[in-house]
Amino acid sequence: DGGITQSPKYLFRKEGQNVTLSCEQNLNHDAMYWYRQDPGQGLRLIYYSQIVNDFQKGDIAEGYSVSREKKESFPLTVTSAQKNPTAFYLCASSHLGAEQYFGPGTRLTVT
Amino acid sequence: DAKTTQPNSMESNEEEPVHLPCNHSTISGTDYIHWYRQLPSQGPEYVIHGLTSNVNNRMASLAIAEDRKSSTLILHRATLRDAAVYYCILRFTTSGTYKYIFGTGTRLKVLA
């Protein structure tokens, strides 16, 4: 079954710890995206990648890092430098320029 | 970057048509208009997209103004399962890459 998966669904961390969110797709899409969503708000772009081994910063990249070593995988690391990391994180993929397919999201809580 | 403006919320009766408006007055000629919807605690789901002409699919219709400064998503017969936040998005190209700008969305409430 083709799709995009994110794990885990819920994640709890202590302040000052780095944490990595997983995103995997088997849709053979070239492009992958990470968004952040705060309660009652829309989605804001963190990072995106159009091709393996290349990625660009989105609108709110500070405190985050990514890698794209494989076409299927685009993990996001939330570093201790991110001031307000508690949020709902969404990963998406698409053929270049086409509609995006979203994963189920990871809800990160940092205390 | 071009932006979209949508009403915060709308209500509709079940089985009736729903027209969800979106303004994008700063849209450029190559920007596509996409619509997604999101249920609580889920990822957004693609609904429809278009460039200049009106578009229909099994989920909805998209009506695009002639000057492309606004568009309307039309759900022909609202059901309770259509209650969601609907996002009007511009897909634009920058330096050969594709980006999607999400607005704050319209929360649609469907009344039984």
Side-chain angles (χ1 to χ4, degrees):
Chain A
D1 214 39
I4 181 165
T5 58
Q6 293 184 244
S7 60
K9 191 170 178 63
Y10 297 95
L11 191 54
F12 299 88
R13 281 292 183 270
K14 294 290 187 185
E15 198 173 308
Q17 294 178 335
N18 291 355
V19 59
T20 297
L21 281 58
S22 167
C23 177
E24 304 277 332
Q25 55 97 1
N26 61 2
L27 300 166
N28 200 32
H29 287 165
D30 288 303
M32 296 187 75
Y33 303 79
W34 273 106
Y35 294 91
R36 170 187 172 131
Q37 187 173 36
D38 294 289
Q41 304 297 311
L43 280 67
R44 292 185 291 168
L45 182 64
I46 305 173
Y47 268 98
Y48 61 107
S49 168
Q50 309 269 278
I51 194 170
V52 173
N53 291 324
D54 187 45
F55 47 83
Q56 288 78 39
K57 292 181 179 179
D59 302 316
I60 54 164
E62 186 175 347
Y64 299 98
S65 66
V66 293
S67 63
R68 187 88 188 274
E69 297 176 0
K70 298 186 300 181
K71 189 175 185 177
E72 314 80 63
S73 178
F74 192 41
L76 172 75
T77 297
V78 184
T79 75
S80 56
Q82 169 49 234
K83 299 295 181 221
N84 298 296
T86 294
F88 188 44
Y89 290 89
L90 288 155
C91 181
S93 71
S94 72
H95 286 303
L96 293 178
E99 65 269 23
Q100 293 185 309
Y101 290 77
F102 283 84
T106 292
R107 192 168 297 280
L108 173 65
T109 302
V110 177
T111 58
Chain B
D1 294 345
K3 298 190 187 303
T4 63
T5 305
Q6 301 175 252
N8 287 335
S9 63
M10 292 183 65
E11 279 188 3
S12 172
N13 293 319
E14 199 176 9
E15 309 273 312
E16 292 187 356
V18 182
H19 289 65
L20 298 166
C22 180
N23 287 320
H24 28 78
S25 58
T26 57
I27 192 171
S28 71
T30 56
D31 293 349
Y32 276 75
I33 302 155
H34 283 232
W35 283 82
Y36 290 75
R37 68 182 185 183
Q38 185 179 27
L39 296 170
S41 297
Q42 293 186 24
E45 173 191 28
Y46 167 78
V47 177
I48 200 166
H49 76 280
L51 182 62
T52 56
S53 304
N54 294 345
V55 184
N56 299 298
N57 67 20
R58 64 174 180 80
M59 291 181 71
S61 295
L62 176 60
I64 302 172
E66 199 167 327
D67 63 5
R68 300 211 325 126
K69 294 182 186 296
S70 66
S71 61
T72 302
L73 179 71
I74 302 165
L75 306 179
H76 295 287
R77 289 178 69 216
T79 70
L80 296 178
R81 289 178 296 179
D82 291 323
V85 178
Y86 286 79
Y87 292 100
C88 170
I89 294 143
L90 296 183
R91 188 227 79 187
F92 66 98
T93 308
T94 176
S95 303
T97 63
Y98 297 98
K99 289 178 68 175
Y100 303 77
I101 301 292
F102 278 75
T104 53
T106 297
R107 183 174 300 278
L108 175 66
K109 187 175 180 180
V110 180
L111 306 174

